[in-house]
Amino acid sequence: MLNGEGLGELADFASELLAAGVEVVFRSIEEIAIYIDSEGVRIRETVSGRDLADFGLVQVFAYHRPTATLLNALEDYLAVKGVRTVNVAGIGAPTKLFKYVRLANRGLSIPSTVYLPPRLLPGAYHDLAARLDLPFVMKPVTGGRGQTRLVSSEGAFTEELQDTANVRGFLAQELVPPDGSYFLLVLGGHVAFALQHRSIDGGDLLEKTSWEDAALVDPQRLDPEAQETAVRAATSLGYDIAGVHLVRHWTTRQWCVLNVSPNPPIGSGRYTAGKVSAYSEYLKRRLSGSYQTDPNGLPDPDITGLRAQP
């Protein structure tokens, strides 16, 4: 039971249930940690370290901060694990954390990512460095530009926490060694426009989508796996229009999803004419009756990304 501290103070309540064979555990939302890596997603309560997937039912009693920030991620995880829930319906705009949990739950590759309660962060540097290697990325859970930074030392980590004390929680994330970095515009279930970085450095990996050094790429010449990954990322989040930032891990060769935005910069930044042209073609399909949907009402994902243009 999350945020049910008042009920937890009633000793008779828990003891009566225990006598009936039901164990009740009370935790605050500030005692929840989230880990995402190559093995998938794990969400744990940090008092005893139990995975929320091990509980028969999870109920939320109140919504004080940062409950709303984490709720979408909790809901998706518990649904995948088959855990019954009460009052855990996701609310609010999708956060980066929710997107990463959803994508990982759907089998997509993302950089290893950790969310810890703010109270545990000051003492977490050495564990994070061991999990993620150095340098790693620090970014706010709720997004925001200009706040994503590289951390290469304990001093820099401490300074980052002090400088951004008002941020509603951090994600610590692996810095993926890249061999190729792309911004792909997914429209109606296929990659309609693509940009590639000409140079690769740490700054390229901080989720910038309108790059001064980017070069146009013919979507039909892209690696089919990159196209499939971008389309799956968009459809996993229910986005018919999405800007997907991918990097290819130079050792594993996997395509990793860094970001998926339902508001890509179609009318701004460089190469506006190409983006607007692709968007116009998408709207024509949308309005012509040739637009396809699956039984769930989502766009036909066309995971090859090679559907012929009308």
Side-chain angles (χ1 to χ4, degrees):
M1 295 188 176
L2 287 172
N3 301 336
E5 292 85 352
L7 190 60
E9 294 173 358
L10 303 176
D12 291 344
F13 171 74
S15 60
E16 287 177 7
L17 285 175
L18 188 60
V22 178
E23 178 189 7
V24 182
V25 176
F26 293 92
R27 295 289 182 262
S28 165
I29 195 67
E30 296 178 358
E31 295 170 330
I32 296 298
I34 302 176
Y35 302 88
I36 308 171
D37 56 29
S38 60
E39 302 299 318
V41 183
R42 299 179 305 283
I43 300 184
R44 296 174 176 168
E45 50 89 3
T46 58
V47 176
S48 65
R50 292 176 65 178
D51 195 306
L52 295 195
D54 296 334
F55 291 88
L57 181 145
V58 174
Q59 180 173 355
V60 176
F61 279 86
Y63 299 93
H64 57 72
R65 291 181 179 179
T67 307
T69 302
L70 305 184
L71 210 52
N72 285 335
L74 290 179
E75 179 187 32
D76 198 80
Y77 180 72
L78 295 172
V80 167
K81 296 299 183 181
V83 178
R84 288 167 289 183
T85 63
V86 177
N87 295 342
V88 188
I91 57 176
T95 63
K96 290 184 179 185
L97 179 58
F98 162 72
K99 293 177 185 179
Y100 290 138
V101 168
R102 168 65 66 85
L103 294 171
N105 277 335
R106 301 309 184 270
L108 287 151
S109 177
I110 67 167
S112 296
T113 303
V114 176
Y115 167 83
L116 293 175
R119 64 181 182 82
L120 295 182
L121 273 174
Y125 172 77
H126 294 289
D127 179 63
L128 292 174
R131 287 177 179 272
L132 307 175
D133 207 352
L134 292 174
F136 60 83
V137 178
M138 290 285 286
K139 59 180 65 174
V141 171
T142 54
R145 297 182 178 179
Q147 297 176 336
T148 301
R149 301 178 186 174
L150 296 178
V151 172
S152 56
S153 68
E154 187 170 9
F157 178 75
T158 302
E159 183 178 350
E160 182 70 15
L161 295 182
Q162 293 173 343
D163 287 348
T164 51
N166 294 325
V167 174
R168 296 181 193 173
F170 278 109
L171 300 179
Q173 190 173 77
E174 171 194 11
L175 179 65
V176 177
D179 180 17
S181 180
Y182 289 87
F183 167 74
L184 305 182
L185 185 60
V186 178
L187 301 175
H190 75 286
V191 176
F193 179 87
L195 292 176
Q196 181 183 22
H197 282 294
R198 282 201 279 264
S199 63
I200 297 294
D201 58 35
D204 288 339
L205 303 180
L206 302 186
E207 298 185 8
K208 299 176 183 178
T209 54
S210 52
W211 307 305
E212 291 304 316
D213 67 341
L216 280 172
V217 177
D218 181 354
Q220 301 298 328
R221 296 181 180 276
L222 282 172
D223 181 347
E225 290 187 10
Q227 298 185 55
E228 177 182 348
T229 299
V231 172
R232 285 182 58 203
T235 55
S236 292
L237 291 164
Y239 295 161
D240 201 34
I241 298 174
V244 183
H245 188 187
L246 295 181
V247 295
R248 189 172 196 171
H249 198 294
W250 74 276
T251 55
T252 69
R253 311 300 293 167
Q254 284 188 308
W255 287 103
C256 294
V257 182
L258 290 190
N259 191 35
V260 184
S261 172
N263 301 300
I266 293 174
S268 61
R270 299 187 67 193
Y271 305 109
T272 301
K275 290 181 288 185
V276 170
S277 176
Y279 181 55
S280 296
E281 290 300 316
Y282 158 79
L283 290 177
K284 292 174 186 176
R285 294 200 312 274
R286 258 307 224 165
L287 297 171
S288 68
S290 62
Y291 188 79
Q292 302 177 24
T293 58
D294 68 13
N296 296 317
L298 290 175
D300 174 5
D302 178 34
I303 60 173
T304 66
L306 298 175
R307 182 189 297 139
Q309 294 286 339

PDB file of all heavy atoms in Angstrom, residues 137-162:
ATOM      1  N   VAL A 137      25.153   9.768 -17.441  1.00  0.00           N
ATOM      2  CA  VAL A 137      24.308  10.931 -17.720  1.00  0.00           C
ATOM      3  C   VAL A 137      23.341  11.145 -16.569  1.00  0.00           C
ATOM      4  O   VAL A 137      22.781  10.188 -16.029  1.00  0.00           O
ATOM      5  CB  VAL A 137      23.522  10.726 -19.034  1.00  0.00           C
ATOM      6  CG1 VAL A 137      22.593  11.905 -19.311  1.00  0.00           C
ATOM      7  CG2 VAL A 137      24.481  10.515 -20.196  1.00  0.00           C
ATOM      8  N   MET A 138      23.141  12.407 -16.192  1.00  0.00           N
ATOM      9  CA  MET A 138      22.104  12.768 -15.229  1.00  0.00           C
ATOM     10  C   MET A 138      21.078  13.620 -15.947  1.00  0.00           C
ATOM     11  O   MET A 138      21.427  14.597 -16.623  1.00  0.00           O
ATOM     12  CB  MET A 138      22.702  13.553 -14.059  1.00  0.00           C
ATOM     13  CG  MET A 138      23.568  12.730 -13.136  1.00  0.00           C
ATOM     14  SD  MET A 138      22.636  11.627 -12.052  1.00  0.00           S
ATOM     15  CE  MET A 138      21.963  12.804 -10.890  1.00  0.00           C
ATOM     16  N   LYS A 139      19.809  13.258 -15.808  1.00  0.00           N
ATOM     17  CA  LYS A 139      18.754  14.027 -16.464  1.00  0.00           C
ATOM     18  C   LYS A 139      17.516  14.060 -15.558  1.00  0.00           C
ATOM     19  O   LYS A 139      17.285  13.130 -14.775  1.00  0.00           O
ATOM     20  CB  LYS A 139      18.400  13.421 -17.817  1.00  0.00           C
ATOM     21  CG  LYS A 139      17.926  11.989 -17.778  1.00  0.00           C
ATOM     22  CD  LYS A 139      17.585  11.454 -19.164  1.00  0.00           C
ATOM     23  CE  LYS A 139      18.781  11.380 -20.065  1.00  0.00           C
ATOM     24  NZ  LYS A 139      18.473  10.730 -21.369  1.00  0.00           N
ATOM     25  N   PRO A 140      16.728  15.122 -15.636  1.00  0.00           N
ATOM     26  CA  PRO A 140      15.525  15.200 -14.806  1.00  0.00           C
ATOM     27  C   PRO A 140      14.467  14.212 -15.276  1.00  0.00           C
ATOM     28  O   PRO A 140      14.336  13.957 -16.478  1.00  0.00           O
ATOM     29  CB  PRO A 140      15.044  16.647 -14.984  1.00  0.00           C
ATOM     30  CG  PRO A 140      15.627  17.073 -16.290  1.00  0.00           C
ATOM     31  CD  PRO A 140      16.930  16.341 -16.438  1.00  0.00           C
ATOM     32  N   VAL A 141      13.719  13.655 -14.333  1.00  0.00           N
ATOM     33  CA  VAL A 141      12.681  12.683 -14.656  1.00  0.00           C
ATOM     34  C   VAL A 141      11.632  13.287 -15.578  1.00  0.00           C
ATOM     35  O   VAL A 141      11.146  12.651 -16.512  1.00  0.00           O
ATOM     36  CB  VAL A 141      12.002  12.181 -13.364  1.00  0.00           C
ATOM     37  CG1 VAL A 141      10.782  11.335 -13.689  1.00  0.00           C
ATOM     38  CG2 VAL A 141      12.976  11.386 -12.529  1.00  0.00           C
ATOM     39  N   THR A 142      11.275  14.542 -15.319  1.00  0.00           N
ATOM     40  CA  THR A 142      10.154  15.153 -16.025  1.00  0.00           C
ATOM     41  C   THR A 142      10.561  15.852 -17.307  1.00  0.00           C
ATOM     42  O   THR A 142       9.733  16.466 -17.962  1.00  0.00           O
ATOM     43  CB  THR A 142       9.446  16.179 -15.115  1.00  0.00           C
ATOM     44  OG1 THR A 142      10.415  17.115 -14.619  1.00  0.00           O
ATOM     45  CG2 THR A 142       8.788  15.488 -13.943  1.00  0.00           C
ATOM     46  N   GLY A 143      11.811  15.791 -17.690  1.00  0.00           N
ATOM     47  CA  GLY A 143      12.258  16.460 -18.909  1.00  0.00           C
ATOM     48  C   GLY A 143      12.811  17.828 -18.602  1.00  0.00           C
ATOM     49  O   GLY A 143      13.168  18.153 -17.476  1.00  0.00           O
ATOM     50  N   GLY A 144      12.851  18.669 -19.597  1.00  0.00           N
ATOM     51  CA  GLY A 144      13.415  20.005 -19.428  1.00  0.00           C
ATOM     52  C   GLY A 144      14.716  20.132 -20.178  1.00  0.00           C
ATOM     53  O   GLY A 144      15.581  19.266 -20.123  1.00  0.00           O
ATOM     54  N   ARG A 145      14.873  21.205 -20.937  1.00  0.00           N
ATOM     55  CA  ARG A 145      16.083  21.392 -21.728  1.00  0.00           C
ATOM     56  C   ARG A 145      17.185  22.041 -20.905  1.00  0.00           C
ATOM     57  O   ARG A 145      16.944  22.792 -19.985  1.00  0.00           O
ATOM     58  CB  ARG A 145      15.757  22.262 -22.943  1.00  0.00           C
ATOM     59  CG  ARG A 145      14.755  21.610 -23.897  1.00  0.00           C
ATOM     60  CD  ARG A 145      14.502  22.477 -25.105  1.00  0.00           C
ATOM     61  NE  ARG A 145      13.577  21.831 -26.025  1.00  0.00           N
ATOM     62  CZ  ARG A 145      13.170  22.369 -27.157  1.00  0.00           C
ATOM     63  NH1 ARG A 145      13.599  23.575 -27.508  1.00  0.00           N
ATOM     64  NH2 ARG A 145      12.327  21.726 -27.937  1.00  0.00           N
ATOM     65  N   GLY A 146      18.400  21.746 -21.288  1.00  0.00           N
ATOM     66  CA  GLY A 146      19.538  22.374 -20.637  1.00  0.00           C
ATOM     67  C   GLY A 146      19.871  21.804 -19.287  1.00  0.00           C
ATOM     68  O   GLY A 146      20.682  22.349 -18.560  1.00  0.00           O
ATOM     69  N   GLN A 147      19.251  20.669 -18.912  1.00  0.00           N
ATOM     70  CA  GLN A 147      19.474  20.108 -17.592  1.00  0.00           C
ATOM     71  C   GLN A 147      20.087  18.713 -17.652  1.00  0.00           C
ATOM     72  O   GLN A 147      20.277  18.084 -16.628  1.00  0.00           O
ATOM     73  CB  GLN A 147      18.155  20.045 -16.807  1.00  0.00           C
ATOM     74  CG  GLN A 147      17.539  21.420 -16.556  1.00  0.00           C
ATOM     75  CD  GLN A 147      16.195  21.326 -15.873  1.00  0.00           C
ATOM     76  OE1 GLN A 147      15.515  20.311 -15.956  1.00  0.00           O
ATOM     77  NE2 GLN A 147      15.800  22.381 -15.202  1.00  0.00           N
ATOM     78  N   THR A 148      20.374  18.216 -18.832  1.00  0.00           N
ATOM     79  CA  THR A 148      20.971  16.899 -18.982  1.00  0.00           C
ATOM     80  C   THR A 148      22.482  17.055 -19.076  1.00  0.00           C
ATOM     81  O   THR A 148      22.982  17.764 -19.938  1.00  0.00           O
ATOM     82  CB  THR A 148      20.429  16.210 -20.239  1.00  0.00           C
ATOM     83  OG1 THR A 148      19.010  16.096 -20.123  1.00  0.00           O
ATOM     84  CG2 THR A 148      21.036  14.840 -20.414  1.00  0.00           C
ATOM     85  N   ARG A 149      23.204  16.380 -18.164  1.00  0.00           N
ATOM     86  CA  ARG A 149      24.650  16.600 -18.082  1.00  0.00           C
ATOM     87  C   ARG A 149      25.397  15.292 -17.862  1.00  0.00           C
ATOM     88  O   ARG A 149      24.834  14.309 -17.391  1.00  0.00           O
ATOM     89  CB  ARG A 149      24.963  17.559 -16.922  1.00  0.00           C
ATOM     90  CG  ARG A 149      24.284  18.918 -17.076  1.00  0.00           C
ATOM     91  CD  ARG A 149      24.568  19.803 -15.890  1.00  0.00           C
ATOM     92  NE  ARG A 149      23.803  21.050 -15.970  1.00  0.00           N
ATOM     93  CZ  ARG A 149      23.768  21.960 -14.998  1.00  0.00           C
ATOM     94  NH1 ARG A 149      24.435  21.761 -13.885  1.00  0.00           N
ATOM     95  NH2 ARG A 149      23.047  23.055 -15.142  1.00  0.00           N
ATOM     96  N   LEU A 150      26.665  15.327 -18.207  1.00  0.00           N
ATOM     97  CA  LEU A 150      27.538  14.189 -17.972  1.00  0.00           C
ATOM     98  C   LEU A 150      28.176  14.305 -16.593  1.00  0.00           C
ATOM     99  O   LEU A 150      28.576  15.388 -16.176  1.00  0.00           O
ATOM    100  CB  LEU A 150      28.632  14.124 -19.038  1.00  0.00           C
ATOM    101  CG  LEU A 150      28.185  13.898 -20.476  1.00  0.00           C
ATOM    102  CD1 LEU A 150      29.383  13.909 -21.406  1.00  0.00           C
ATOM    103  CD2 LEU A 150      27.423  12.596 -20.608  1.00  0.00           C
ATOM    104  N   VAL A 151      28.296  13.179 -15.910  1.00  0.00           N
ATOM    105  CA  VAL A 151      28.920  13.113 -14.590  1.00  0.00           C
ATOM    106  C   VAL A 151      30.114  12.180 -14.680  1.00  0.00           C
ATOM    107  O   VAL A 151      29.972  11.010 -15.066  1.00  0.00           O
ATOM    108  CB  VAL A 151      27.925  12.609 -13.530  1.00  0.00           C
ATOM    109  CG1 VAL A 151      28.634  12.351 -12.205  1.00  0.00           C
ATOM    110  CG2 VAL A 151      26.793  13.609 -13.340  1.00  0.00           C
ATOM    111  N   SER A 152      31.307  12.685 -14.333  1.00  0.00           N
ATOM    112  CA  SER A 152      32.512  11.864 -14.432  1.00  0.00           C
ATOM    113  C   SER A 152      33.253  11.726 -13.106  1.00  0.00           C
ATOM    114  O   SER A 152      34.289  11.067 -13.048  1.00  0.00           O
ATOM    115  CB  SER A 152      33.463  12.456 -15.478  1.00  0.00           C
ATOM    116  OG  SER A 152      33.772  13.807 -15.155  1.00  0.00           O
ATOM    117  N   SER A 153      32.732  12.354 -12.032  1.00  0.00           N
ATOM    118  CA  SER A 153      33.403  12.267 -10.732  1.00  0.00           C
ATOM    119  C   SER A 153      32.378  12.459  -9.627  1.00  0.00           C
ATOM    120  O   SER A 153      31.274  12.971  -9.855  1.00  0.00           O
ATOM    121  CB  SER A 153      34.495  13.337 -10.618  1.00  0.00           C
ATOM    122  OG  SER A 153      33.910  14.635 -10.570  1.00  0.00           O
ATOM    123  N   GLU A 154      32.748  12.064  -8.423  1.00  0.00           N
ATOM    124  CA  GLU A 154      31.847  12.224  -7.284  1.00  0.00           C
ATOM    125  C   GLU A 154      31.589  13.698  -6.993  1.00  0.00           C
ATOM    126  O   GLU A 154      30.468  14.086  -6.639  1.00  0.00           O
ATOM    127  CB  GLU A 154      32.425  11.535  -6.050  1.00  0.00           C
ATOM    128  CG  GLU A 154      31.475  11.516  -4.865  1.00  0.00           C
ATOM    129  CD  GLU A 154      31.953  10.633  -3.743  1.00  0.00           C
ATOM    130  OE1 GLU A 154      33.113  10.166  -3.802  1.00  0.00           O
ATOM    131  OE2 GLU A 154      31.180  10.396  -2.793  1.00  0.00           O
ATOM    132  N   GLY A 155      32.626  14.535  -7.182  1.00  0.00           N
ATOM    133  CA  GLY A 155      32.447  15.966  -6.966  1.00  0.00           C
ATOM    134  C   GLY A 155      31.426  16.557  -7.928  1.00  0.00           C
ATOM    135  O   GLY A 155      30.580  17.366  -7.537  1.00  0.00           O
ATOM    136  N   ALA A 156      31.500  16.158  -9.191  1.00  0.00           N
ATOM    137  CA  ALA A 156      30.548  16.652 -10.185  1.00  0.00           C
ATOM    138  C   ALA A 156      29.141  16.169  -9.872  1.00  0.00           C
ATOM    139  O   ALA A 156      28.165  16.900 -10.064  1.00  0.00           O
ATOM    140  CB  ALA A 156      30.970  16.200 -11.575  1.00  0.00           C
ATOM    141  N   PHE A 157      29.025  14.944  -9.377  1.00  0.00           N
ATOM    142  CA  PHE A 157      27.726  14.390  -9.002  1.00  0.00           C
ATOM    143  C   PHE A 157      27.114  15.191  -7.860  1.00  0.00           C
ATOM    144  O   PHE A 157      25.943  15.591  -7.909  1.00  0.00           O
ATOM    145  CB  PHE A 157      27.911  12.927  -8.596  1.00  0.00           C
ATOM    146  CG  PHE A 157      26.658  12.241  -8.143  1.00  0.00           C
ATOM    147  CD1 PHE A 157      25.699  11.845  -9.065  1.00  0.00           C
ATOM    148  CD2 PHE A 157      26.455  11.972  -6.801  1.00  0.00           C
ATOM    149  CE1 PHE A 157      24.546  11.191  -8.651  1.00  0.00           C
ATOM    150  CE2 PHE A 157      25.303  11.317  -6.376  1.00  0.00           C
ATOM    151  CZ  PHE A 157      24.353  10.915  -7.302  1.00  0.00           C
ATOM    152  N   THR A 158      27.921  15.466  -6.830  1.00  0.00           N
ATOM    153  CA  THR A 158      27.437  16.236  -5.682  1.00  0.00           C
ATOM    154  C   THR A 158      27.034  17.640  -6.105  1.00  0.00           C
ATOM    155  O   THR A 158      25.993  18.163  -5.676  1.00  0.00           O
ATOM    156  CB  THR A 158      28.521  16.307  -4.592  1.00  0.00           C
ATOM    157  OG1 THR A 158      28.869  14.980  -4.195  1.00  0.00           O
ATOM    158  CG2 THR A 158      28.036  17.099  -3.395  1.00  0.00           C
ATOM    159  N   GLU A 159      27.837  18.258  -6.949  1.00  0.00           N
ATOM    160  CA  GLU A 159      27.527  19.604  -7.428  1.00  0.00           C
ATOM    161  C   GLU A 159      26.233  19.617  -8.234  1.00  0.00           C
ATOM    162  O   GLU A 159      25.429  20.542  -8.114  1.00  0.00           O
ATOM    163  CB  GLU A 159      28.685  20.121  -8.285  1.00  0.00           C
ATOM    164  CG  GLU A 159      28.489  21.546  -8.771  1.00  0.00           C
ATOM    165  CD  GLU A 159      29.682  22.035  -9.568  1.00  0.00           C
ATOM    166  OE1 GLU A 159      30.727  21.352  -9.575  1.00  0.00           O
ATOM    167  OE2 GLU A 159      29.577  23.109 -10.191  1.00  0.00           O
ATOM    168  N   GLU A 160      26.020  18.585  -9.034  1.00  0.00           N
ATOM    169  CA  GLU A 160      24.797  18.500  -9.830  1.00  0.00           C
ATOM    170  C   GLU A 160      23.566  18.429  -8.939  1.00  0.00           C
ATOM    171  O   GLU A 160      22.553  19.091  -9.188  1.00  0.00           O
ATOM    172  CB  GLU A 160      24.850  17.272 -10.733  1.00  0.00           C
ATOM    173  CG  GLU A 160      23.657  17.090 -11.637  1.00  0.00           C
ATOM    174  CD  GLU A 160      23.605  18.134 -12.739  1.00  0.00           C
ATOM    175  OE1 GLU A 160      24.603  18.822 -12.982  1.00  0.00           O
ATOM    176  OE2 GLU A 160      22.528  18.268 -13.340  1.00  0.00           O
ATOM    177  N   LEU A 161      23.638  17.660  -7.863  1.00  0.00           N
ATOM    178  CA  LEU A 161      22.502  17.555  -6.951  1.00  0.00           C
ATOM    179  C   LEU A 161      22.233  18.879  -6.257  1.00  0.00           C
ATOM    180  O   LEU A 161      21.080  19.260  -6.035  1.00  0.00           O
ATOM    181  CB  LEU A 161      22.764  16.463  -5.908  1.00  0.00           C
ATOM    182  CG  LEU A 161      22.884  15.034  -6.423  1.00  0.00           C
ATOM    183  CD1 LEU A 161      23.102  14.075  -5.264  1.00  0.00           C
ATOM    184  CD2 LEU A 161      21.659  14.635  -7.228  1.00  0.00           C
ATOM    185  N   GLN A 162      23.275  19.595  -5.898  1.00  0.00           N
ATOM    186  CA  GLN A 162      23.106  20.878  -5.209  1.00  0.00           C
ATOM    187  C   GLN A 162      22.593  21.957  -6.147  1.00  0.00           C
ATOM    188  O   GLN A 162      21.755  22.780  -5.763  1.00  0.00           O
ATOM    189  CB  GLN A 162      24.438  21.312  -4.595  1.00  0.00           C
ATOM    190  CG  GLN A 162      24.911  20.404  -3.465  1.00  0.00           C
ATOM    191  CD  GLN A 162      26.302  20.747  -2.991  1.00  0.00           C
ATOM    192  OE1 GLN A 162      27.057  21.445  -3.681  1.00  0.00           O
ATOM    193  NE2 GLN A 162      26.673  20.249  -1.817  1.00  0.00           N
TER     194      GLN A 162
END
